Amino acid sequence: QLVESGGGLVQAGASLTLSCAASGFFLNHFSTGWFRQAPGKGREGISCITSEGNYTSYVDAVKGRFTISRDLVKNAVNLEMNNVKSEDTGVYYCATVRQLHYATGQTRCLLDALDTWGQGTQVTVSS
């Protein structure tokens, strides 16, 4: 089970950190991604991190403003959101995602969700 938390109502330019906590399994055994769904739009992937935390990926809309990281103590993945904009408003979900393994030993995560999702946390940015 995945449980998201940390959402809320913030002003544009503010910061907040979302958390995705796992129970029943070790989240660091999987690549993990954050997704969001804006009002009236479909769900989009925005960031992911590999199981070992040595590779991260961001979509252009959040690159340079959001940072994904692992909290091994809490068995969680966090999403630090800085300089938020009104277009960041939406419900944020986390999910385990697909991980690629290369012959070189490198791994990559893809914003291709597997079957474990959280219930979402609402982020509302006022301008």
Side-chain angles (χ1 to χ4, degrees), residues 12-114:
S15 298
L16 76 166
T17 298
L18 307 183
S19 180
C20 168
S23 60
F25 68 101
F26 292 106
L27 192 54
N28 64 330
H29 287 187
F30 299 89
S31 279
T32 308
W34 279 96
F35 298 74
R36 67 184 179 189
Q37 187 166 16
K41 296 187 178 181
R43 192 176 297 184
E44 64 168 342
I46 57 173
S47 181
C48 65
I49 185 169
T50 52
S51 57
E52 295 183 350
N54 56 356
Y55 175 83
T56 58
S57 178
Y58 304 89
V59 296
D60 288 345
V62 307
K63 196 173 295 183
R65 299 188 298 121
F66 291 9
T67 302
I68 191 170
S69 62
R70 289 199 175 274
D71 185 336
L72 297 179
V73 174
K74 295 183 178 179
N75 195 26
V77 169
N78 296 328
L79 185 69
E80 180 182 349
M81 306 167 61
N82 296 311
N83 189 26
V84 295
K85 304 176 180 180
S86 57
E87 52 263 45
D88 294 324
T89 293
V91 181
Y92 283 70
Y93 302 88
C94 62
T96 54
V97 298
R98 199 168 305 278
Q99 179 159 302
L100 299 179
H101 298 267
Y102 293 94
T104 57
Q106 292 180 318
T107 57
R108 295 288 185 268
C109 56
L110 298 177
L111 290 170
D112 179 12
L114 301 177

